[in-house]
Amino acid sequence: MNVFVRIGLLCCLLFCVSVLSAQQKTLPPRPSQSSDTVRIVEILKTNRFDFRTIDSATQLQILVGDVHIRQGRTLFWADSVVYNEKTNFMQAYGNVHINDADSVNIYSQYMQYDGTKKLATFREKVKLSDGNSTLYTDEMDYDMNGKVGTYRNGGRIESKQTTLYSKEGFYYADIKDIYFVGNVKMSDPEVALASDSLLYNTSSQVATFIAPTTIKSGQSIINTREGYYDLKLKKAKFGSRSRMQDSTSTMIADDFAFDDKSGYGEAKGNVQYKDTAQGALLFANRVFFNKEKKNFLATEKPVMVVVQNKDSVFIAADTIYSGLMRDLAGMKNGYISAFDTLKGKQVINVDSILQNDSSNIMKDSSIVVTDSITIVQSKDTIAAVVEKPIIVAQKDSISNKPPPLKVKPVLVLSDSTKLPTVDSNAVAAIDSSTIKKIRPKEETDTLRFITAFRHVRIFNDSLQAVADSLFYSGVDSVFQLFHDPIAWSKGSQVSGDTIYIFTENKKPKRLYVFENGLLVQSVKESSSFFNQIKGRTINGYFINGELDFVKAKGTAESIYYAQDDDSAFVGMNRTTADMIDMYFKERSPQKVKFTSSVKGTTFPIRQLPEDQKKLSNFQWLENKRPKNKLELFL
């Protein structure tokens, strides 16, 4: 036999043996072109195996039925696989499943895989799960080296009760971070979120904000561009001038931190708060708040503004606390001890003083006009002007009669001399039963009270004040000032142990001072003359923000400078009585009335004893008076 024929038969025999051997084995031989086990693709199992040579560069292994493949620590499953051993490229079809290092499982209906670069592309019903959350998309690229998954045509993450959606996403399997980009939306039973970009960790369930973001939590809407929200612990922190608002209030600050479970939070850095329901503003550098109860404690130069159209009231103190009136009755030991941080300091019991003071209300019947007063009528009209002051004494006589004035004093009366009748309960501390009587429940749910401590200052165009501590009620619009308070109205100064300022439309309507009350009025800026009235209690009434009438009771004393028609000073009267009434017009006293146990002396203007010009405890404290609202912010 020809040697060439023998060689041909031998080759043919060897080929047939090799084909039969391949058909008997379940697994194909390993690729021999490389010893790199990271790049080697091992076919562990298949129901049918075909080997096809397309050309010299394309040799395909076709695996059909329950295909199981491994590369390094990555396992592949599919219904069928076409694998090019030479290019190390694989395509998988039907029920594709990849397990990457026992940490990530990826499912799809189609996959392309570059075994050399370890890059996979998944199509159709793609699902990635890391044990904490599941990613759903229609198309995703996955880098086995960096363990990074990328989708660019929309995808969503489901993590327990939280779902996040974005147009694009980048999943980092090693650290469990997902970077969402484009039309990001998050929904949770308690939180909803919308943003352009967001970083989310599936393990810790912390969402980190890196772009303008809107968050809805309960009734609150938060706008931020920096910070994080812990969906597991319901805690958050925001920066970059974030905004938090609900149906009745808005707060803006450099930084926020709060706990959604308890409702407590903290705002720092140029904090601005607005209560739209009550027309109140707050400015501070640090605010602690409860967004559920709508209360707050402000420190670091806080200023609160009770807003009105033309004449707002500005309140500054070291510490300001404000809450809803509905919660005030539930505070044990009262609001003073609840919020006053100064320990061991006695707080005056104002209720007992008010109950024992029977003269705190001025009634029309107490006005007495004596026969010495002349009523002047002109052109059938009665002028509402008091042209000259008159001193009226009752029961006792003044020890020394004043020198006769050059012009007979005349008092012209009108209805303006009548004083409003005020319920004596109006000055009592507000309790829960009073609140219910005054306001319906829906209003007490929004009405506020304000407490302020240490270095309290108040500025209003009509009235200014300083004190150690303050309480303001939204029910009756009363400012209660404690511990050496001083109040100023135009040219008048009032001081005492405690002062109540009753307001109407944010303007002073009535002023009540108890214990060591003293009213001082500068007669003339360039002189050292001061009209003064002193008593255990002082009641003052205002008309359009101007002091109209003052009543002092309880060992009352007064110093009064009399003037003639030319406004020249003619004498000074110093008198004591059980009760002293003083009437004003255009900031000047026009009538003084003394009641019971009257004793007094009048001194000629050129013979004034220096020791008689001032009542005991006299102080002119104009230097403490707030000059403008901007001063309160310093």
Side-chain angles (χ1 to χ4, degrees):
M1 185 181 292
N2 191 314
V3 64
F4 294 106
V5 174
R6 289 179 178 181
I7 293 173
L9 290 173
L10 180 60
C11 290
C12 183
L13 180 61
L14 290 173
F15 177 76
C16 292
V17 171
S18 64
V19 170
L20 290 173
S21 177
Q23 290 178 343
Q24 291 173 355
K25 289 184 178 180
T26 304
L27 304 177
R30 292 184 179 183
S32 59
Q33 74 272 20
S34 173
S35 62
D36 187 353
T37 57
V38 176
R39 295 178 56 188
I40 290 175
V41 174
E42 299 178 87
I43 301 175
L44 302 179
K45 181 182 179 182
T46 183
N47 292 337
R48 194 178 78 184
F49 172 79
D50 291 328
F51 184 89
R52 294 182 183 179
T53 300
I54 305 301
D55 52 39
S56 59
T58 306
Q59 296 178 339
L60 302 179
Q61 298 179 25
I62 302 173
L63 315 175
V64 179
D66 194 21
V67 181
H68 188 184
I69 299 174
R70 177 173 63 199
Q71 183 185 34
R73 298 179 60 190
T74 304
L75 300 175
F76 301 80
W77 291 267
D79 290 346
S80 58
V81 172
V82 176
Y83 175 61
N84 188 327
E85 183 180 14
K86 193 168 186 179
T87 60
N88 202 13
F89 186 83
M90 178 170 56
Q91 290 179 299
Y93 303 88
N95 299 311
V96 179
H97 175 199
I98 288 183
N99 178 271
D100 186 16
D102 289 330
S103 61
V104 174
N105 288 281
I106 305 174
Y107 306 85
S108 70
Q109 293 303 308
Y110 172 77
M111 179 194 71
Q112 293 181 352
Y113 180 69
D114 186 332
T116 303
K117 296 180 179 179
K118 300 191 71 174
L119 296 177
T121 298
F122 299 88
R123 301 287 188 275
E124 298 180 28
K125 299 180 181 180
V126 181
K127 181 173 74 171
L128 182 152
S129 176
D130 61 4
N132 296 304
S133 62
T134 303
L135 165 65
Y136 297 91
T137 185
D138 286 332
E139 183 176 336
M140 183 182 72
D141 298 328
Y142 189 80
D143 183 348
M144 300 289 184
N145 291 310
K147 299 187 183 301
V148 179
T150 304
Y151 64 85
R152 301 186 183 279
N153 294 309
R156 76 179 190 276
I157 294 285
E158 293 184 1
S159 177
K160 296 182 178 178
Q161 293 181 308
T162 303
T163 301
L164 293 105
Y165 168 86
S166 69
K167 184 178 179 181
E168 297 182 55
F170 304 87
Y171 172 77
Y172 300 88
D174 282 346
I175 57 177
K176 302 295 188 290
D177 273 351
I178 304 177
Y179 177 36
F180 297 94
V181 180
N183 195 25
V184 182
K185 295 180 181 178
M186 184 184 78
S187 61
D188 181 88
E190 299 179 9
V191 179
L193 179 151
S195 180
D196 180 69
S197 301
L198 177 72
L199 189 62
Y200 179 73
N201 187 278
T202 61
S203 178
S204 65
Q205 292 183 264
V206 174
T208 303
F209 315 116
I210 53 179
T213 303
T214 300
I215 305 164
K216 190 176 187 303
S217 175
Q219 298 298 317
S220 299
I221 297 177
I222 302 165
N223 298 102
T224 185
R225 59 181 303 115
E226 177 185 299
Y228 70 84
Y229 191 102
D230 190 325
L231 292 165
K232 185 186 297 183
L233 301 177
K234 302 302 178 184
K235 294 183 179 180
K237 185 174 182 180
F238 309 115
S240 299
R241 296 298 293 166
S242 299
R243 174 195 300 265
M244 181 183 298
Q245 63 185 31
D246 57 24
S247 59
T248 61
S249 63
T250 301
M251 184 180 291
I252 304 173
D254 290 345
D255 299 287
F256 278 99
F258 69 89
D259 184 339
D260 248 351
K261 288 184 178 180
S262 65
Y264 286 104
E266 178 182 358
K268 293 177 64 177
N270 192 20
V271 183
Q272 300 176 21
Y273 173 83
K274 181 178 182 180
D275 184 338
T276 54
Q278 292 301 300
L281 299 175
L282 173 72
F283 303 90
N285 280 316
R286 193 172 190 181
V287 176
F288 300 91
F289 62 90
N290 187 309
K291 66 176 186 175
E292 300 300 326
K293 294 185 176 181
K294 298 184 182 297
N295 57 25
F296 60 79
L297 176 72
T299 63
E300 299 183 14
K301 297 185 177 181
V303 177
M304 193 161 185
V305 185
V306 182
V307 180
Q308 69 171 9
N309 292 333
K310 296 181 179 180
D311 196 12
S312 300
V313 180
F314 292 75
I315 305 169
D318 290 355
T319 303
I320 296 177
Y321 179 93
S322 180
L324 298 180
M325 290 298 301
R326 68 184 183 192
D327 299 324
L328 180 59
M331 295 178 181
K332 295 181 180 180
N333 302 320
Y335 59 86
I336 292 292
S337 59
F339 301 112
D340 192 352
T341 57
L342 183 63
K343 304 300 181 183
K345 188 169 184 178
Q346 293 296 321
V347 178
I348 189 169
N349 186 344
V350 298
D351 290 345
S352 61
I353 296 175
L354 292 169
Q355 291 169 0
N356 295 328
D357 184 12
S358 60
S359 67
N360 57 0
I361 305 304
M362 183 65 185
K363 298 182 179 180
D364 294 348
S365 58
S366 65
I367 299 177
V368 178
V369 180
T370 65
D371 293 339
S372 61
I373 299 177
T374 303
I375 308 296
V376 176
Q377 183 169 333
S378 174
K379 295 182 180 180
D380 298 328
T381 60
I382 298 177
V385 177
V386 178
E387 295 187 356
K388 287 300 168 189
I390 288 185
I391 300 175
V392 181
Q394 291 183 343
K395 294 188 179 180
D396 289 344
S397 60
I398 300 177
S399 58
N400 294 314
K401 294 182 179 180
L405 302 179
K406 294 180 181 180
V407 179
K408 182 179 179 180
V410 177
L411 175 63
V412 181
L413 300 179
S414 72
D415 290 339
S416 64
T417 59
K418 295 182 180 180
L419 299 178
T421 300
V422 183
D423 183 2
S424 58
N425 292 328
V427 296
I430 300 298
D431 59 16
S432 59
S433 60
T434 307
I435 293 173
K436 291 177 181 178
K437 291 177 182 177
I438 296 175
R439 303 278 187 174
K441 180 181 184 302
E442 58 270 19
E443 291 191 41
T444 60
D445 285 348
T446 59
L447 289 173
R448 285 195 167 276
F449 68 89
I450 302 169
T451 59
F453 298 99
R454 309 299 161 261
H455 307 106
V456 176
R457 294 175 292 163
I458 300 175
F459 181 85
N460 174 269
D461 288 344
S462 302
L463 185 140
Q464 302 82 44
V466 298
D468 178 76
S469 52
L470 167 148
F471 176 84
Y472 171 79
S473 165
V475 173
D476 53 14
S477 300
V478 177
F479 290 89
Q480 302 177 23
L481 306 177
F482 303 96
H483 302 304
D484 303 320
I486 308 168
W488 295 266
S489 177
K490 308 301 180 181
S492 301
Q493 171 189 292
V494 181
S495 60
D497 289 356
T498 304
I499 297 177
Y500 281 12
I501 301 172
F502 298 80
T503 63
E504 188 175 75
N505 297 324
K506 309 300 189 296
K507 287 187 177 182
K509 181 181 180 181
R510 179 179 170 227
L511 180 144
Y512 181 62
V513 186
F514 40 94
E515 298 302 323
N516 300 310
L518 176 64
L519 183 146
V520 180
Q521 187 179 60
S522 176
V523 176
K524 194 175 182 181
E525 293 183 2
S526 60
S527 71
S528 60
F529 297 164
F530 296 91
N531 292 325
Q532 302 157 58
I533 184 168
K534 182 179 180 181
R536 184 174 65 86
T537 63
I538 292 179
N539 271 280
Y541 295 86
F542 297 81
I543 295 179
N544 295 324
E546 296 282 354
L547 190 61
D548 180 67
F549 168 76
V550 171
K551 172 186 283 293
K553 182 190 174 184
T555 317
E557 299 178 71
S558 72
I559 290 178
Y560 172 72
Y561 288 87
Q563 296 173 266
D564 61 16
D565 280 348
D566 297 326
S567 297
F569 294 105
V570 295
M572 182 195 81
N573 178 271
R574 179 164 179 156
T575 304
T576 63
D578 286 349
M579 189 181 303
I580 300 176
D581 299 335
M582 189 175 289
Y583 301 84
F584 294 83
K585 179 183 177 296
E586 296 180 355
R587 309 182 192 178
S588 298
Q590 297 297 300
K591 174 186 171 183
V592 180
K593 183 180 72 174
F594 305 99
T595 303
S596 186
S597 304
V598 181
K599 294 181 181 180
T601 303
T602 299
F603 301 93
I605 198 63
R606 298 183 181 276
Q607 300 177 21
L608 299 180
E610 286 297 324
D611 61 348
Q612 296 296 313
K613 292 170 63 176
K614 296 177 182 177
L615 298 176
S616 60
N617 299 325
F618 170 88
Q619 292 185 84
W620 182 244
L621 302 170
E622 187 69 17
N623 60 322
K624 291 187 176 182
R625 183 177 189 171
K627 302 302 186 295
N628 55 66
K629 59 188 177 184
L630 297 179
E631 179 183 312
L632 273 61
F633 290 89
L634 300 178

